[in-house]
Amino acid sequence: MGAPLEQTTTATTVRVRNSKTVVTDGPFAETKEQLGGYYLVEAKDLDDAIAIASRIPGAKHGSIEVRPIMKINM
């Protein structure tokens, strides 16, 4: 199932360095980085989503961008 993501202004970036979770507001991806796919997870709030993102292996070497999915009214 595909779901559109909210705008990058809603992003929170998660990195894990030296076993510590570092959280930054905004999509601070470098120019050489791009979205290659995404995990769709259910989280009760942003803190829960950050905790989940910090356990994704890529957070230790790169960054994980956390964004809500877009709500579409039909």
Side-chain angles (χ1 to χ4, degrees):
M1 173 181 134
L5 299 175
E6 285 290 347
Q7 300 295 320
T8 56
T9 56
T10 66
T12 300
T13 301
V14 179
R15 295 175 177 86
V16 176
R17 301 294 185 269
N18 299 318
S19 300
K20 295 185 182 191
T21 302
V22 179
V23 179
T24 309
D25 290 335
F28 294 99
E30 296 180 25
T31 306
K32 65 183 177 182
E33 297 174 324
Q34 61 183 343
L35 179 66
Y38 63 91
Y39 295 96
L40 182 60
V41 299
E42 288 189 36
K44 61 183 175 189
D45 56 24
L46 180 59
D47 290 336
D48 191 30
I50 290 168
I52 293 167
S54 71
R55 294 192 304 264
I56 296 172
K60 293 181 181 175
H61 305 288
S63 61
I64 306 297
E65 189 174 291
V66 175
R67 274 198 263 168
I69 57 170
M70 196 177 289
K71 292 187 179 11
I72 300 175
N73 297 322
M74 290 190 188

